[in-house]
Amino acid sequence: SQQGEEDPQALSIQEGENATMNCSYKTSINNLQWYRQNSGRGLVHLILIRSNEREKHSGRLRVTLDTSKKSSSLLITASRAADTASYFCASRKAAGNKLTFGGGTRVLVKP
Amino acid sequence: ETGVTQSPTHLIKTRGQQVTLRCSSQSGHNTVSWYQQALGQGPQFIFQYYREEENGRGNFPPRFSGLQFPNYSSELNVNALELDDSALYLCASSSTGGASYEQYFGPGTRLTVT
């Protein structure tokens, strides 16, 4: 079973708008990562946030982490049609060697 | 492109058969992890290999087995295939065993069991 839950499951926006998706997890983590997947292909690493960090930026991406609520959010600003993909959060436990993925958010950016 | 390659790209097998999937890790990486992704779901961890030894396993039965070779490439073997084994199988490489943070994923092998 998957540890994380993502919300919403699907998101449809116009180009130029912001896209926000949320992720919850169940156990203490070392870090949380976000990945993008295009059309059922391989996963591309987007950003990693450590458990002692609260916010991180990378280009048009902004990630927050609230360890008290066991949740994270990914914001994509000024979305483009090329951002159309599925986005997954993946948590890594403090003592562990695997990533536990959420169910993903399918984002459609309409031109 | 991550430098992680997988073969074959697609595969169709019959229930009860056996299958071997292959993964070549990115140069300099000594750890390979395998994930199963059913349609519409997130990837689930199968197991990880570090320096040719299994280094953690998810909730998968023993008919899922693996190998890692001295060049750090890896194989995933599945025996007695079941219909529910139909999925995208992803491998990911990283540079250290349990401490690595970022995993680099290959394009996946789409397995269909009929």
Side-chain angles (χ1 to χ4, degrees):
Chain A
S1 62
Q2 295 169 174
Q3 178 182 211
E5 296 291 333
E6 292 187 58
D7 167 56
Q9 290 187 327
L11 184 59
S12 180
I13 56 175
Q14 293 293 138
E15 207 166 23
E17 293 181 339
N18 295 341
T20 300
M21 57 209 86
N22 304 294
C23 164
S24 62
Y25 56 92
K26 297 178 182 174
T27 63
S28 296
I29 61 171
N30 178 286
N31 65 73
L32 189 137
Q33 305 174 35
W34 286 88
Y35 287 82
R36 184 184 74 224
Q37 184 177 41
N38 291 85
S39 301
R41 295 185 57 78
L43 295 157
V44 175
H45 184 268
L46 295 176
I47 193 166
L48 178 152
I49 186 165
R50 292 181 168 78
S51 60
N52 61 352
E53 297 176 312
R54 292 296 166 259
E55 187 171 314
K56 202 161 183 180
H57 297 254
S58 176
R60 294 184 295 114
L61 304 179
R62 172 180 170 256
V63 168
T64 63
L65 180 65
D66 187 335
T67 53
S68 67
K69 295 180 179 178
K70 292 187 170 59
S71 67
S72 175
S73 68
L74 172 67
L75 167 68
I76 305 173
T77 61
S79 63
R80 305 166 182 169
D83 294 329
T84 294
S86 291
Y87 293 82
F88 294 91
C89 67
S91 59
R92 186 185 185 95
K93 292 182 181 178
N97 49 20
K98 69 174 185 179
L99 292 175
T100 302
F101 284 84
T105 294
R106 280 151 286 285
V107 175
L108 171 64
V109 181
K110 294 179 280 188
Chain B
E1 296 291 326
T2 62
V4 179
T5 61
Q6 292 186 244
S7 63
T9 305
H10 295 88
L11 200 53
I12 300 174
K13 288 286 189 178
T14 303
R15 190 171 50 183
Q17 287 187 316
Q18 179 265 344
V19 69
T20 297
L21 310 182
R22 296 177 175 82
C23 172
S24 291
S25 58
Q26 185 163 306
S27 177
H29 287 181
N30 56 15
T31 303
V32 173
S33 303
W34 286 92
Y35 293 83
Q36 180 196 65
Q37 185 179 21
L39 196 62
Q41 298 185 22
Q44 291 202 47
F45 176 76
I46 303 175
F47 44 55
Q48 183 184 83
Y49 278 83
Y50 171 59
R51 293 184 176 177
E52 302 178 58
E53 297 287 334
E54 187 177 291
N55 184 39
R57 188 179 183 94
N59 190 26
F60 281 81
R63 60 190 184 83
F64 285 77
S65 63
L67 283 173
Q68 187 178 32
F69 301 98
N71 67 354
Y72 302 127
S73 65
S74 178
E75 286 182 355
L76 164 65
N77 299 291
V78 187
N79 294 323
L81 284 167
E82 301 177 359
L83 296 180
D84 285 350
D85 296 333
S86 294
L88 180 68
Y89 288 85
L90 297 161
C91 78
S93 73
S94 50
S95 59
T96 51
S100 63
Y101 288 135
E102 184 174 338
Q103 297 187 5
Y104 295 82
F105 283 82
T109 293
R110 173 78 58 189
L111 172 65
T112 301
V113 182
T114 63

